[in-house]
Amino acid sequence: MKTYESEVMEKEEIKLVGFTITESLNHVLESKLVETLRRDLAKRIDEIKNRAGTGIYLNQIYPHDGEWTPDVPFEHVIAVEVSAFDHLPSGMISHTIAAGRYIRIIHQGPESQLGSTYEYINNTFGTRPIDLEYWQDINDLDSEESRIDIYIPAP
């Protein structure tokens, strides 16, 4: 059985600029919409002013009633961190992640195996309002050395 490294940490507010869609997990997996938007964001990254850092975030915002299944649509924000919202490129949105206490769980290995990490998170921590993934290098997501940091709100 795989073990996961996790820690509780304080995170400052994160300002993001990128794309958003509202779709079910099953539709996103079938259509590869997040992968497409991630590639589109990488192609247009130079249009985004005030970038902070080099990675890309995925913020998954679940329905507030907690009644979530893989067929229920929810919001996906694929974006990069910025220091200020001075300029929004055409077709992009601004989004803010609240400051607070988060649990960071590290997924080590190919992105295709991310489902097992989320199974661990769901079994260990239960339902939550958001997940926040951070991909340091989107060109390395298929390798065994790939690392995805997942942040969930701490109780």
Side-chain angles (χ1 to χ4, degrees):
M1 181 173 186
K2 189 171 182 175
T3 59
Y4 294 93
E5 180 182 330
S6 66
E7 67 177 315
V8 176
M9 59 192 332
E10 292 289 331
K11 294 212 41 91
E12 294 183 11
E13 176 183 87
I14 303 171
K15 293 179 176 76
L16 299 173
V17 169
F19 300 115
T20 185
I21 57 170
T22 300
E23 293 290 347
S24 71
L25 179 61
N26 282 338
H27 186 254
V28 164
L29 293 174
E30 290 168 10
S31 64
K32 301 190 184 299
L33 276 171
V34 168
E35 291 175 36
T36 300
L37 289 175
R38 189 171 56 201
R39 280 193 305 271
D40 291 349
L41 183 63
K43 288 177 193 171
R44 294 185 59 195
I45 205 159
D46 289 338
E47 296 176 38
I48 301 171
K49 306 300 180 209
N50 305 313
R51 278 198 334 267
T54 58
I56 294 178
Y57 284 92
L58 168 63
N59 184 203
Q60 301 174 111
I61 306 159
Y62 301 111
H64 296 292
D65 60 11
E67 297 298 318
W68 179 85
T69 70
D71 293 312
V72 172
F74 61 95
E75 187 176 6
H76 309 256
V77 176
I78 300 93
V80 296
E81 185 175 1
V82 296
S83 58
F85 294 130
D86 293 345
H87 169 77
L88 281 179
S90 174
M92 293 191 192
I93 56 97
S94 63
H95 181 74
T96 303
I97 304 294
R101 285 172 39 94
Y102 289 85
I103 301 169
R104 180 177 69 179
I105 300 99
I106 298 172
H107 169 81
Q108 190 74 44
E111 184 182 32
S112 61
Q113 296 173 4
L114 195 57
S116 62
T117 302
Y118 273 104
E119 187 175 314
Y120 162 78
I121 292 169
N122 293 335
N123 291 337
T124 305
F125 303 104
T127 60
R128 59 210 168 267
I130 69 165
D131 294 326
L132 181 64
E133 293 182 18
Y134 178 71
W135 308 305
Q136 180 65 41
D137 182 359
I138 65 165
N139 298 311
D140 188 39
L141 292 175
D142 293 329
S143 80
E144 290 296 327
E145 289 76 38
S146 175
R147 174 181 160 154
I148 300 171
D149 292 352
I150 303 169
Y151 299 90
I152 62 172

